[in-house]
Amino acid sequence: METKPFKIHFNKNVIIFSNVLILFVLSRILLTFAACVYNHFAGTYTKTWDLLYQYDAVWYVDIIENGYQSVPNSVTGYANYAFYPFYTIVVRFVKNFMPDRFGANQVGILVSNFCTLIAGYMGVKTVQLKYPKESGYFMAFLIFFAPHTIYFSMTYTEAMFLMFTIFFFYFCCRKYFLAAAISAFFAAFTRIAGVFLVFSLLLFLYEADYGWNWSFSNIKTFIKSFFLQPLRMFEILICPLGIFGYFYYLYHLTGDVWASAHIQVAWHNSYRGIFRTLFYNLADSGSGTSSQYWALTAIFGLLLFVYLCYRKFYAAAVFGFLAVGLSLHTDAIAISRYIMGNFVSYIAIFELLRKRQQARIAVINISILVTGLMYYLWFSGTCYFIF
């Protein structure tokens, strides 16, 4: 008799995963179709994984194959230690078990797609925790088809980072805070923005104790709880350990604990402030021809986070502001990756459209068209608004 609830739960999860898998396969069919269209018009026969092998993917493959360099390139000033390590560690590990004909880029694509599939599944599960009567498949659709999700299809860290942040929010919703802290650890080890999940964890812990009833007495008791409950202190401390571990490695590699941050100036100038970054990019004096698009995308993301505050999703909103703000503090270049590579953005879009069926259908149709176009533009190297 005790096995019946487990069997029902297992069967339900199998159904959810099967439906998510169908959406995932359809999204990859769209990707393959765009590659076929590009090859047709370009008169080429380039394999899809080679078409995806551009920009930062080249850097990640270099790290996978050759490790980190100790000094920047004498000509360009670039250094691959600007990129965080966990994704490359996983790809290198998986590559050891693959046939020799699979190159680092191909294995990286496999890992990213696997992370994307798991992210879609966990996104649905997270929605169903909040809204048991919702199917949640629109969340998986957004993760697979929303504009700029092309980064989840290639040797980039976005898919893995998204997966770990979804795990974080899922575990926080279930009040499994140690598991959430471990997810934050791996997120920070994958991308620097993951370190900000520690602030979201603090808010989730406070909400679990007092709801959103803010008072001096509650805050004082909340702070005391960290000294009376060592597990809580451990949960908070473990979140940033991934990034601190990388900093320690950089200190021994380069002699500079902040090397990954300092090397960023080789790629672009710093405007030293969010509002200055937005102003100069809107004025079309930013880092490239896409400056105005990047600035508008950043404003769109920030408005999504404001909407989350309005809906009292404070823990999610704080992470969104901090993660995107970190990028905007220097420049708006490639800000679309930080907006659409952040689960918080999907939470906001889902909440905004949850009861707006007509708007949701319009978003679905537009997303498929725009994402297909973005695939084609990426393949052709015309990345005016993608990169």
Side-chain angles (χ1 to χ4, degrees), residues 1-8:
M1 295 296 291
E2 293 180 1
T3 61
K4 190 174 181 179
F6 171 79
K7 190 173 182 180
I8 293 173

Side-chain angles (χ1 to χ4, degrees), residues 113-333:
N113 277 273
F114 176 78
C115 291
T116 303
L117 175 60
I118 300 302
Y121 171 73
M122 292 306 300
V124 172
K125 294 288 290 181
T126 304
V127 167
Q128 291 181 349
L129 275 180
K130 178 69 176 177
Y131 304 108
K133 294 183 179 180
E134 279 274 356
S135 68
Y137 293 120
F138 181 60
M139 177 64 79
F141 172 88
L142 291 174
I143 292 171
F144 298 153
F145 284 97
H148 298 293
T149 55
I150 184 173
Y151 299 106
F152 303 155
S153 307
M154 61 184 76
T155 308
Y156 272 55
T157 59
E158 272 70 17
M160 180 173 285
F161 180 75
L162 179 73
M163 180 186 71
F164 284 130
T165 55
I166 294 177
F167 272 114
F168 171 84
F169 283 100
Y170 174 79
F171 288 131
C172 282
C173 288
R174 300 203 66 176
K175 296 182 171 55
Y176 296 165
F177 296 119
L178 179 58
I182 294 171
S183 300
F185 167 88
F186 286 113
F189 207 13
T190 306
R191 295 183 68 88
I192 188 173
V195 73
F196 295 124
L197 287 170
V198 67
F199 299 104
S200 296
L201 181 59
L202 282 168
L203 288 172
F204 273 118
L205 287 169
Y206 186 90
E207 182 189 19
D209 289 349
Y210 307 104
W212 296 121
N213 182 19
W214 296 95
S215 69
F216 178 77
S217 175
N218 287 347
I219 295 173
K220 182 179 177 181
T221 306
F222 179 67
I223 294 173
K224 283 183 178 180
S225 69
F226 289 93
F227 300 96
L228 299 175
Q229 303 176 46
L231 180 59
R232 277 200 167 185
M233 183 66 74
F234 177 75
E235 290 165 350
I236 294 300
L237 292 177
I238 199 175
C239 290
L241 279 182
I243 195 172
F244 289 160
Y246 184 53
F247 287 167
Y248 179 77
Y249 168 79
L250 287 178
Y251 176 75
H252 285 274
L253 180 70
T254 68
D256 179 10
V257 71
W258 301 107
S260 63
H262 293 156
I263 199 63
Q264 295 294 332
V265 297
W267 274 271
H268 50 79
N269 295 321
S270 173
Y271 293 104
R272 300 186 183 278
I274 294 174
F275 294 108
R276 287 171 60 88
T277 297
L278 291 175
F279 173 77
Y280 283 111
N281 280 272
L282 282 172
D284 201 24
S285 57
S287 297
T289 56
S290 305
S291 295
Q292 291 173 323
Y293 178 82
W294 292 332
L296 292 172
T297 303
I299 292 171
F300 169 74
L302 294 173
L303 289 175
L304 288 179
F305 307 149
V306 170
Y307 175 72
L308 287 176
C309 290
Y310 170 74
R311 293 298 309 273
K312 297 184 178 180
F313 287 73
Y314 299 119
V318 164
F319 178 63
F321 281 123
L322 292 174
V324 173
L326 175 68
S327 174
L328 286 177
H329 186 73
T330 53
D331 200 355
I333 187 170

